[in-house]
């Protein structure tokens, strides 16, 4: 029996019902369940209240400076070197019976200096991905370069200037986390960008509103499975050299936040995104998290992205409710009929984005139901699971509507000699309604090891 025939719609419904029952019968604290949220949208997405343009080097420090050196040099003594080992197995059976499959190993080594004269520091990250199993006829996993080839790349190399303790500027190759430009770290190596930016925070003390803000110009991007930086416009699909201007801010006070950001690429596209979140406390002591988002996209200048003028938008709403057993999430998105929502430089931030599909095609509406819980009491600390179902509708022939069901199980060591080691098992099935009702099956297994401090 193949993966394609193993799970049908009825089985998926029973699996989701069974997981929901487990959640209701469990004894997981609301705080633990909150950790299962997928952020703004799906895997790799970044919401406005999570924007991070500073994005320090990942992982744990491999070494520490002397406690009290005789002659201290902060640029050297405050430096950090960190590393992560990653192995990733990917197997996808497509609608047309083709298959993408590979098993890769690699990771990253990062360096972040201390500040020189309390003002300037440098950072660098080297990434690598090498094949362990990579059949030539199953290319396309994005774990490796086209042709199932390994690669190594200096994905980050930047200088950062500190104007104040809360305002910074950077130049060079760097990682950024915003809704439509982010690392989208869902394969072996993340997306990184080349450009000039400024960012910072304000307020947030003694109950005052907290602000995050940032902007700049990004000229080039390194894709998930690439060792080269290319112009942002060419990565989007236009045969010209153009970068992207971006700027945005997020306001937060107590249980409310509101943010907006704009991305402009001359002759390519303008993307405006805004999102609001609020947390309501119920009489029972539980909390309900509500969120709403809106995206507006349109062509600019000479309309070089699609060869013609276009405009479209998408709106979405989401609610998260933490029970004593778990966290339940319900969300809805609706895309205008003008054009598909474009996500050329990152994962899509829509609330119904799932493991495989974005559910952001022209005229498409989607409803998501997600249940998640922490397995600390049922199994062990650091283990968690979730299941979600997305139902798409609104598409007209010759296009077909789709449903997607995802299962996720992960386990991370929090303490002890194996601290920094994590395992993640992911499975998704996408079921097309029409055209013979084919399905797509997507299986992933990921192991990460962030080297702990000695």
């Amino acid at each position: 029996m193949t993966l394609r025939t193993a799970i049908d719609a009825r089985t998926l419904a029973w699996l989701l019902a069974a997981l929901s029952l487990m959640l209701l019968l469990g004894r997981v604290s609301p705080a633990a369940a909150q950790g299962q949220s997928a952020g703004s949208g799906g895997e790799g997405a970044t919401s406005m209240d999570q924007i991070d343009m500073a994005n320090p080097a990942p992982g744990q420090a491999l070494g520490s400076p002397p406690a009290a050196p005789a002659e201290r040099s902060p640029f050297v003594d405050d430096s950090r070197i960190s590393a992560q080992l990653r192995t990733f197995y990917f197997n996808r059976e497509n609608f047309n019976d083709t298959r993408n499959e590979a098993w890769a190993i690699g990771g990253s080594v990062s360096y972040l200096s201390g500040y020189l004269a309390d003002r300037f520091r440098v950072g660098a990250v080297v990434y690598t991905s090498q094949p362990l199993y990579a059949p030539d006829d199953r290319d396309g996993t994005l774990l490796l370069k086209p042709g199932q080839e390994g690669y190594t790349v200096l994905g980050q190399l930047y200088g950062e200037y500190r104007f104040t303790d809360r305002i910074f500027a950077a130049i060079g190759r760097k990682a950024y986390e915003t809704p439509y430009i982010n690392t989208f770290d869902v394969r072996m190596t993340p997306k990184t960008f080349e450009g000039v930016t400024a960012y910072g925070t304000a307020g947030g003390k003694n109950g005052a509103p907290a602000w995050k803000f940032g902007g700049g110009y990004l000229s080039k991007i390194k894709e998930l499975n690439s060792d080269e930086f290319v112009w942002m416009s060419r990565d989007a699909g236009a045969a010209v050299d153009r970068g992207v201007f971006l700027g945005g801010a997020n306001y937060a006070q107590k249980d409310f936040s509101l943010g907006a950001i704009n991305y402009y690429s001359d002759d390519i596209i303008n993307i405006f995104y805004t999102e609001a979140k609020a947390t309501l406390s119920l009489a029972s002591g539980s909390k309900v998290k509500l969120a709403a988002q809106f995206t507006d996209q349109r062509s600019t200048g000479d309309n070089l992205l699609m060869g013609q003028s276009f405009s479209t938008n998408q709106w979405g709403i989401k609610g998260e409710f933490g029970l004593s057993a778990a966290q339940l999430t319900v969300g809805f998105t609706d895309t205008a009929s003008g054009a598909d929502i474009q996500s050329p430089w990152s994962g899509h931030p829509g609330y119904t984005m799932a493991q495989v599909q974005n559910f952001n095609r022209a005229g498409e509406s989607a409803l998501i139901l997600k249940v998640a819980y922490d397995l600390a009491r049922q199994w062990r600390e650091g283990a968690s699971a979730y299941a979600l179902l997305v139902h798409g509708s609104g598409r007209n022939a010759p296009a077909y509507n789709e449903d997607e069901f995802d299962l996720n199980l992960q386990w991370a060591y929090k303490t002890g000699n194996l601290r920094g080691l994590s395992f993640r098992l992911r499975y998704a099935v996408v079921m097309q309604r029409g055209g013979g009702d084919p399905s797509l099956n997507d299986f992933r297994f990921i192991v990460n090891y962030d080297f702990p401090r000695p």
Side-chain angles (χ1 to χ4, degrees):
M1 179 179 291
T2 65
L3 285 173
R4 175 164 292 182
T5 59
I7 298 183
D8 58 18
R10 181 176 296 179
T11 305
L12 295 178
W14 278 110
L15 284 171
L16 191 59
L19 183 54
S20 299
L21 181 61
M22 292 171 65
L23 292 170
L24 293 173
L25 295 177
R27 291 294 182 268
V28 182
S29 67
Q34 298 298 325
Q36 299 304 315
S37 173
S40 172
E43 183 69 13
T46 302
S47 62
M48 277 304 303
D49 62 332
Q50 296 172 337
I51 58 173
D52 182 6
M53 299 187 71
N55 194 40
Q60 302 288 342
L62 285 175
S64 301
E71 295 183 6
R72 196 170 189 277
S73 172
F75 185 81
V76 175
D77 295 333
D78 291 343
S79 294
R80 293 196 305 129
I81 298 176
S82 58
Q84 183 189 76
L85 177 67
R86 175 175 296 184
T87 186
F88 199 128
Y89 175 74
F90 182 103
N91 189 336
R92 175 180 291 176
E93 187 181 0
N94 297 296
F95 291 121
N96 60 2
D97 292 326
T98 61
R99 177 169 291 182
N100 312 119
E101 185 180 17
W103 180 20
I105 191 169
S108 63
V109 177
S110 309
Y111 170 77
L112 186 64
S113 77
Y115 282 100
L116 179 65
D118 203 35
R119 283 289 179 264
F120 181 77
R121 68 177 179 179
V122 296
V125 185
V126 176
Y127 302 100
T128 188
S129 179
Q130 303 300 324
L132 291 174
Y133 173 72
D136 291 338
D137 61 346
R138 297 183 179 180
D139 198 2
T141 64
L142 300 182
L143 298 182
L144 301 162
K145 290 177 64 176
Q148 300 281 52
E149 299 292 331
Y151 62 93
T152 300
V153 57
L154 183 59
Q156 297 191 52
L157 179 61
Y158 63 91
E160 182 184 68
Y161 186 83
R162 177 165 66 179
F163 294 98
T164 71
D165 288 342
R166 306 182 74 177
I167 300 178
F168 305 83
I171 184 171
R173 301 177 175 181
K174 200 171 180 296
Y176 296 99
E177 300 293 353
T178 76
Y180 277 94
I181 290 182
N182 56 56
T183 58
F184 194 51
D185 192 11
V186 296
R187 293 296 193 273
M188 284 296 294
T189 65
K191 298 186 179 190
T192 55
F193 305 87
E194 186 175 288
V196 180
T197 57
Y199 43 87
T201 61
K205 297 180 180 179
N206 300 320
W211 289 88
K212 292 181 181 179
F213 53 86
Y217 175 76
L218 301 179
S219 58
K220 295 184 177 182
I221 178 176
K222 181 203 76 68
E223 271 294 346
L224 291 176
N225 61 332
S226 177
D227 57 2
E228 297 181 350
F229 282 76
V230 300
W231 283 93
M232 299 287 283
S233 54
R234 293 187 180 273
D235 190 69
V240 293
D241 297 341
R242 301 284 191 277
V244 178
F245 293 93
L246 72 156
N250 190 82
Y251 165 94
Q253 186 173 31
K254 295 183 179 179
D255 293 329
F256 175 78
S257 69
L258 174 65
I261 191 167
N262 197 77
Y263 310 83
Y264 178 84
S265 183
D266 190 29
D267 298 323
I268 310 299
I269 193 172
N270 188 86
I271 303 174
F272 171 79
Y273 178 80
T274 184
E275 183 177 23
K277 291 186 176 183
T279 300
L280 306 178
S281 298
L282 305 181
S284 62
S286 300
K287 291 186 177 182
V288 176
K289 294 185 176 181
L290 304 176
Q293 62 180 184
F294 177 76
T295 291
D296 178 89
Q297 297 186 344
R298 56 193 65 233
S299 57
T300 63
D302 292 335
N303 307 316
L304 299 180
L305 184 60
M306 296 186 181
Q308 61 184 12
S309 176
F310 73 90
S311 65
T312 189
N313 63 74
Q314 183 188 67
W315 63 270
I317 55 175
K318 181 177 67 170
E320 298 177 349
F321 179 61
L323 300 172
S324 61
Q327 178 171 287
L328 307 179
T329 301
V330 178
F332 177 82
T333 58
D334 183 75
T335 304
S337 59
D340 295 352
I341 290 291
Q342 304 296 306
S343 300
W345 306 301
S346 75
H348 175 57
Y351 294 149
T352 54
M353 177 188 175
Q355 180 172 319
V356 178
Q357 302 294 50
N358 289 332
F359 293 92
N360 61 354
R361 297 175 295 173
E364 188 169 37
S365 299
L367 176 68
I368 184 172
L369 170 64
K370 178 180 176 181
V371 289
Y373 67 99
D374 191 316
L375 292 166
R377 293 193 179 184
Q378 290 88 348
W379 187 18
R380 64 193 313 154
E381 183 183 4
S384 59
Y386 70 75
L388 65 83
L389 178 64
V390 183
H391 174 73
S393 61
R395 295 283 286 174
N396 298 317
Y400 299 106
N401 292 301
E402 296 174 341
D403 298 324
E404 179 171 342
F405 177 77
D406 296 354
L407 282 173
N408 182 95
L409 176 65
Q410 58 192 55
W411 175 22
Y413 283 90
K414 302 295 185 181
T415 59
N417 295 331
L418 295 179
R419 178 170 59 94
L421 178 65
S422 66
F423 302 88
R424 189 172 192 187
L425 184 68
R426 310 189 69 196
Y427 175 72
V429 57
V430 182
M431 297 161 289
Q432 189 179 93
R433 306 198 302 276
D437 298 332
S439 62
L440 176 154
N441 293 272
D442 184 289
F443 175 81
R444 310 178 189 187
F445 181 64
I446 309 105
V447 180
N448 288 319
Y449 182 65
D450 294 318
F451 287 92
R453 294 184 179 90

